[in-house]
Amino acid sequence: MNRQKPILFITVLALIGATAGVLAHAKSNQKLGLPGVKTRPLAADQNLEVMLPDDLPGYTSEARTQPAMVTNTLPPDTSFGQRIYTGDDGFPCLANVVLMGTSRGSIHDPQVCLTAQGWKIKDAASKVVTVHLDKPVSYDLPVMRMIASREAEINGQTVAQGGIYVYWFVDEDRYTATLAHRMLWTVHDVVRKGVLDRWAYVSFFAVCPPGQEDATFERMKKLIATSVPEFQLVPAAAK
């Protein structure tokens, strides 16, 4: 198992290098693909707003804006959508979508964001799992579930916290929870079709007491199953 991790790391690095080289070579002839999430234009802005649902049964929600450190760091044609959902039982969960424009730099490494906020990722507990959705068709959505922990200062006291971060990627006709799949599909479409896939990076994040990670993830799965059909366009409803 320990030998597999270095091999996987080297493979991913090779994919990154190959992807960058192929995309740079084909850039002059490529067109941008369509997003796999619902969007609308922003007034006086080149970008789009990802339309996360504001009204879900069993939840209230509040729109959030991206912090300046995010918008100032990512490419200027990156688009966003972010809302915090609170269940009728008081359970809060943050939903966030980052939609790339012409630059692959919009889709950043999730580990960077978490560790910058003081979270330590438990690699052994982080893995690809599925969340079942009934709409628009019955299917299992693959997601990366990451478990993290940190110590936070709350009301002058140091408190241990657990965190569950769930993410996946979707373009106009596919979805995946793995970086390798996204890169391979991107290279294929640029080379074979002259299309740069417009990937959206979808994530959900919830904080919980240590030891409650599994129970919290079960609650997150319900929110994902309820909300995703309202903004994700893939898969489409059967005709």
Side-chain angles (χ1 to χ4, degrees):
M1 187 68 180
N2 290 336
R3 294 180 59 188
Q4 291 178 350
K5 287 187 176 181
I7 293 173
L8 178 61
F9 178 72
I10 292 171
T11 301
V12 170
L13 286 180
L15 280 171
I16 292 173
T19 301
V22 171
L23 294 183
H25 178 72
K27 187 174 182 180
S28 59
N29 298 317
Q30 70 191 20
K31 63 179 181 179
L32 187 62
L34 298 174
V37 291
K38 292 182 180 179
T39 62
R40 60 187 171 200
L42 289 171
D45 197 311
Q46 64 174 331
N47 297 337
L48 304 170
E49 176 191 0
V50 178
M51 298 171 60
L52 293 173
D54 57 1
D55 185 19
L56 291 174
Y59 298 89
T60 58
S61 75
E62 178 185 349
R64 295 291 181 91
T65 57
Q66 296 288 338
M69 64 176 294
V70 173
T71 56
N72 293 339
T73 301
L74 298 183
D77 62 351
T78 307
S79 299
F80 304 97
Q82 187 178 88
R83 298 191 78 89
I84 186 164
Y85 292 93
T86 304
D88 291 343
D89 59 357
F91 170 68
C93 184
L94 181 68
N96 188 58
V97 181
V98 178
L99 176 65
M100 65 174 278
T102 57
S103 172
R104 293 176 299 107
S106 299
I107 308 297
H108 51 287
D109 190 336
Q111 285 84 344
V112 173
C113 296
L114 289 177
T115 54
Q117 298 174 54
W119 291 96
K120 296 180 180 179
I121 299 168
K122 300 179 180 179
D123 291 329
S126 301
K127 59 183 179 180
V128 175
V129 297
T130 60
V131 177
H132 183 75
L133 279 74
D134 291 319
K135 297 191 302 182
V137 296
S138 178
Y139 73 106
D140 291 324
L141 175 68
V143 304
M144 178 64 75
R145 185 196 67 184
M146 303 180 72
I147 306 297
S149 64
R150 74 173 182 181
E151 291 188 345
E153 196 76 20
I154 300 177
N155 297 327
Q157 295 185 333
T158 301
V159 179
Q161 295 180 321
I164 303 87
Y165 190 81
V166 177
Y167 73 89
W168 66 95
F169 309 102
V170 58
D171 70 354
E172 64 181 291
D173 55 9
R174 290 164 301 200
Y175 48 84
T176 179
T178 66
L179 178 65
H181 278 144
R182 180 172 66 83
M183 288 182 170
L184 287 172
W185 288 338
T186 298
V187 171
H188 175 274
D189 288 351
V190 167
V191 173
R192 299 296 296 272
K193 303 177 183 178
V195 174
L196 176 62
D197 300 321
R198 192 167 192 178
W199 289 101
Y201 163 35
V202 185
S203 64
F204 286 75
F205 180 66
V207 178
C208 67
Q212 295 297 312
E213 289 84 0
D214 288 342
T216 300
F217 180 58
E218 290 302 314
R219 299 167 86 176
M220 295 174 71
K221 286 166 63 176
K222 294 179 181 179
L223 174 59
I224 291 171
T226 302
S227 63
V228 168
E230 302 300 320
F231 70 87
Q232 183 167 300
L233 302 175
V234 185
K239 296 182 179 179

